[in-house]
């Protein structure tokens, strides 16, 4: 399988290089040149498979040039055995034909574990084979950092440096990063805000001379193709559990950078019967505004009760735009260069096509809280604020009550106690038993000034073979 850039100018790459690359050299994102397609008969034959085995069936075509089948199977067994539920992605029923898929049974209690647990193992495998080392550098305002750290803690060929804004992430989120033990794990608390952290990461990727040519930076944000790939699997899993592929399913997906829902779109293209995909956003609703009015326009960032969806632009949306433009990289490049300067639209027939593929809704904080409260009163089931947005959008956008509607449950409610409190419920979400001592564990992090040379100096000094 070859991978090509959405902007049409970077060289095509194989899986290993795509894994290590991040952004393409032309500024685009890598996508598979073609997708595998599974017949209904083949999908049907996967009923009852354990999650890791299903993951193998769905993903192997994407990696087969790089990894022997047995090695990949073993990696998947290890990856999904760290989840705390035997079904890995269990379904919980909310109403007649309405479900939440709990994607928060991994080590950091958010769906990002599905991809990052695998990504860490993939990186180490490929680096071992090539006798190479990388430094992962990333900025986080919460979920991504902890999932990346957990995913890479056992990697021998990876050092990971995660920047977070000092005293500006929640205590649960900070502790999930800073209590992970490992010589290759480095948490840096920057005396600045999230944008400062991101700027330093970007600048460092742009000029890596501070590493002295002895290692290179790698990215683990959601533009990495391997993350999207791992998220395709659970759409198949949910469908098979509810009678697919002989009936179609609807999914509602809490969305920020468009990674998780793009995986659902790919599952459909790969042959899974999906009749509806709902984009659920918070007040940072660039995607909903585009879907409603064919205008892609950046607004100011709003801080909401669902911080993992607080974005201004949606990076993976570029991958959909590429398909909407008949995979014409030059057209995507021109469009996104204009989008950086002001609002853009696409041709009407292309936009209408997008509206056939997706429905959308934007949910504000008050409605998020109302939904948390409603569902708790209806079922004594506690939603985290991101999942609540998905459930609300599912209920607003649903087209056919005979089709199972599945909302992706992206985080455990105990990660976001403030939103639960704000919804007026007196119940306090409890951390799962295996994490109950989080507040007693020892923390390790270094506070640094908001200064890129200081941060780079720290990295240059502390990676393994420095
Ligand atoms: C990252 C995240 C999202 C958004 O996922 P995207 O792939 O960026 O759309 C939603 N909910 C939670 C809890 C997250 O951590």
């Amino acid at each position: 399988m070859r991978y090509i850039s959405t902007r049409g100018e970077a060289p095509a790459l194989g899986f290993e290089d795509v894994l290590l690359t991040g952004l393409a050299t032309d500024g685009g994102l890598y996508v598979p040149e073609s997708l595998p397609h599974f017949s209904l008969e083949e999908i049907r034959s996967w009923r009852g498979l354990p999650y890791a085995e299903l993951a193998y069936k769905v993903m192997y075509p994407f990696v087969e040039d790089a990894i022997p089948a047995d090695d990949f199977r073993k990696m998947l067994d290890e990856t999904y055995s760290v989840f705390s539920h035997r079904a890995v992605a269990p379904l919980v029923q909310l109403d007649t034909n309405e479900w939440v898929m709990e994607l928060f049974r991994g080590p950091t209690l958010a769906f990002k574990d599905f991809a990052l647990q695998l990504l860490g193992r993939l990186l180490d495998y490929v680096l071992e084979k090539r006798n190479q080392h990388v430094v992962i550098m990333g900025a986080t305002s919460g979920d991504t950092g902890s999932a990346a750290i957990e995913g890479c803690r056992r990697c021998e060929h990876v050092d990971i440096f995660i920047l977070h804004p000092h005293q500006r992430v929640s205590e649960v989120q900070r502790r999930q990063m800073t209590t992970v033990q490992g010589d290759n794990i480095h948490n840096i608390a920057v005396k600045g805000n999230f944008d400062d952290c991101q700027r330093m990461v970007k600048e460092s990727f742009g000029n890596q001379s501070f590493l002295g040519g002895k290692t290179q930076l790698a990215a683990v944000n959601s533009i990495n193709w391997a993350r999207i790939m791992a998220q395709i699997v659970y759409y198949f899993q949910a469908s098979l559990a509810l009678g697919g592929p002989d009936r179609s399913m609807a999914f509602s997906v809490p969305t920020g950078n468009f990674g998780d829902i793009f995986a659902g779109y790919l599952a459909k293209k790969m042959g899974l019967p999906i009749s509806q995909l709902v984009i659920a956003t918070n007040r940072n609703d660039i995607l909903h505004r585009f879907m409603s009015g064919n205008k892609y326009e950046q607004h100011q960032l709003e801080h909401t009760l669902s911080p993992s969806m607080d974005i201004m632009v949606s990076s993976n949306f570029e991958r959909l735009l590429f398909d909407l433009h008949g995979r014409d990289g030059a057209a995507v490049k021109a469009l996104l260069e204009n989008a950086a300067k002001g609002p853009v639209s696409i041709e009407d027939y292309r936009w209408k096509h997008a509206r056939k593929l997706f429905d959308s809704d934007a949910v504000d904080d008050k409605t998020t809280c109302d939904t948390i409260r409603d569902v708790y009163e209806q079922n004594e089931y506690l939603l985290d604020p991101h999942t609540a947005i998905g459930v609300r959008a599912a209920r607003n956008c649903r087209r056919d009550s005979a089709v199972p509607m599945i909302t992706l449950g992206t985080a455990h409610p105990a990660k976001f106690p403030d939103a639960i409190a704000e919804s007026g419920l007196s119940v306090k979400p409890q951390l799962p038993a295996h994490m109950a001592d989080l507040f007693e564990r020892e923390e390790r992090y270094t506070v640094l000034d908001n200064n890129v040379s200081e941060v780079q100096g720290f990295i240059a000094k502390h990676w393994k073979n420095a």
Side-chain angles (χ1 to χ4, degrees):
M1 171 102 46
R2 309 278 298 160
Y3 294 84
I4 56 175
S5 165
T6 50
R7 300 203 185 178
E9 286 170 6
L13 299 178
F15 180 77
E16 285 186 20
D17 289 311
V18 162
L19 180 72
L20 296 170
T21 299
L23 266 195
T25 50
D26 57 6
L29 306 183
Y30 277 103
V31 289
E33 197 165 45
S34 63
L35 286 174
H37 191 273
F38 306 118
S39 67
L40 292 183
E41 196 182 345
E42 186 166 13
I43 298 170
R44 206 176 286 126
S45 76
W46 299 342
R47 277 190 191 142
L49 288 183
Y51 190 90
E53 191 57 25
L54 179 66
Y56 169 78
K57 301 277 188 200
V58 173
M59 287 192 275
Y60 196 59
F62 293 110
V63 306
E64 62 189 351
D65 302 336
I67 308 176
D70 287 347
D71 289 357
F72 193 51
R73 276 206 163 96
K74 184 159 163 274
M75 204 183 294
L76 292 169
D77 278 341
E78 285 172 16
T79 299
Y80 296 107
S81 69
V82 303
F83 283 63
S84 67
H85 193 292
R86 289 194 71 188
V88 183
L91 290 163
V92 168
Q93 189 160 15
L94 291 189
D95 200 345
T96 312
N97 239 357
E98 189 192 11
W99 311 77
V100 166
M101 177 162 45
E102 294 189 337
L103 299 176
F104 48 77
R105 301 303 195 111
T108 72
L109 310 181
F111 83 94
K112 292 186 171 70
D113 288 328
F114 276 82
L116 286 162
Q117 281 295 318
L118 179 60
L119 188 65
R121 289 171 172 87
L122 282 167
L123 280 173
D124 221 33
Y125 182 91
V126 167
L127 292 166
E128 163 83 29
K129 186 161 119 187
R130 295 182 164 201
N131 194 17
Q132 272 180 17
H133 176 275
V134 297
V135 167
I136 287 175
M137 184 179 180
T140 192
S141 53
D143 288 343
T144 306
S146 56
I149 286 171
E150 279 286 350
C152 295
R153 64 191 295 185
R154 292 192 183 80
C155 294
E156 290 187 21
H157 306 275
V158 177
D159 283 278
I160 179 162
F161 293 79
I162 297 293
L163 281 55
H164 72 263
H166 187 40
Q167 293 174 338
R168 293 190 200 199
V169 298
S170 80
E171 185 165 10
V172 174
Q173 290 184 320
R174 187 190 73 237
R175 285 183 164 273
Q176 283 192 315
M177 298 190 279
T178 59
T179 59
V180 178
Q181 303 300 317
D183 294 344
N184 64 337
I185 296 168
H186 306 274
N187 280 285
I188 300 175
V190 173
K191 290 186 194 160
N193 59 29
F194 174 61
D195 288 339
D196 296 324
C197 298
Q198 250 186 337
R199 190 173 33 75
M200 287 194 250
V201 171
K202 213 168 168 188
E203 203 173 317
S204 305
F205 270 85
N207 181 357
Q208 302 187 17
S209 57
F210 67 99
L211 293 170
K214 286 179 278 181
T215 182
Q216 65 180 79
L217 292 183
V220 291
N221 48 13
S222 70
I223 60 167
N224 193 307
W225 161 255
R227 283 186 58 178
I228 307 279
M229 173 183 85
Q231 293 167 199
I232 300 170
V233 178
Y234 44 70
Y235 288 89
F236 281 86
Q237 149 102 348
S239 167
L240 286 161
L242 295 176
D246 295 309
R247 60 201 296 224
S248 65
M249 303 286 147
F251 289 92
S252 174
V253 187
T255 306
N257 274 319
F258 205 74
D260 215 3
I261 190 155
F262 186 70
Y265 159 84
L266 294 177
K268 180 172 175 172
K269 286 182 66 123
M270 288 161 67
L272 188 69
I274 295 179
S275 57
Q276 199 184 1
L277 281 167
V278 179
I279 299 168
T281 75
N282 64 22
R283 288 288 305 285
N284 296 288
D285 58 351
I286 183 167
L287 292 169
H288 177 59
R289 284 184 281 113
F290 172 78
M291 294 304 300
S292 322
N294 190 9
K295 195 156 135 196
Y296 193 69
E297 180 182 27
Q298 208 168 312
H299 282 181
Q300 277 291 319
L301 187 77
E302 300 221 23
H303 291 282
T304 71
L305 291 173
S306 42
S308 302
M309 288 153 55
D310 288 349
I311 48 95
M312 289 195 293
V313 292
S314 205
S315 44
N316 281 292
F317 193 55
E318 175 161 351
R319 290 186 157 115
L320 180 72
L321 287 170
F322 186 56
D323 280 4
L324 291 175
H325 287 82
R327 312 204 115 200
D328 176 352
V332 172
K333 181 167 187 269
L335 181 73
L336 289 166
E337 280 171 4
N338 287 331
K341 293 177 226 143
V344 291
S345 301
I346 63 176
E347 287 101 318
D348 195 56
Y349 74 98
R350 300 192 198 279
W351 175 67
K352 289 205 170 107
H353 182 56
R355 283 171 58 94
K356 282 216 181 74
L357 297 169
F358 298 96
D359 293 298
S360 71
D361 197 10
V363 178
D364 64 17
D365 277 352
K366 174 172 182 307
T367 313
T368 304
C369 288
D370 290 348
T371 308
I372 292 172
R373 200 175 52 247
D374 288 350
V375 169
Y376 190 75
E377 282 167 2
Q378 288 155 1
N379 296 32
E380 288 190 28
Y381 185 71
L382 210 45
L383 298 173
D384 99 285
H386 306 81
T387 309
I389 286 171
V391 167
R392 170 56 57 184
R395 290 179 177 180
N396 286 351
C397 297
R398 188 161 199 182
R399 290 216 202 115
D400 182 350
S401 60
V403 173
M405 171 59 87
I406 304 154
T407 295
L408 269 50
T410 52
H412 190 288
K415 286 193 96 163
F416 301 97
D418 295 351
I420 311 292
E422 212 160 305
S423 67
L425 294 172
S426 53
V427 36
K428 285 216 165 46
Q430 299 296 319
L431 285 167
H434 65 95
M435 288 190 57
D437 64 342
L438 183 67
F439 286 84
E440 277 99 65
R441 292 183 200 161
E442 188 197 334
E443 288 193 85
R444 275 197 323 160
Y445 62 98
T446 306
V447 182
L448 293 180
D449 282 336
N450 186 2
N451 174 317
V452 70
S453 9
E454 193 168 323
V455 170
Q456 292 181 343
F458 182 86
I459 295 175
K461 191 159 155 218
H462 289 93
W463 72 276
K464 186 163 31 198
N465 300 329

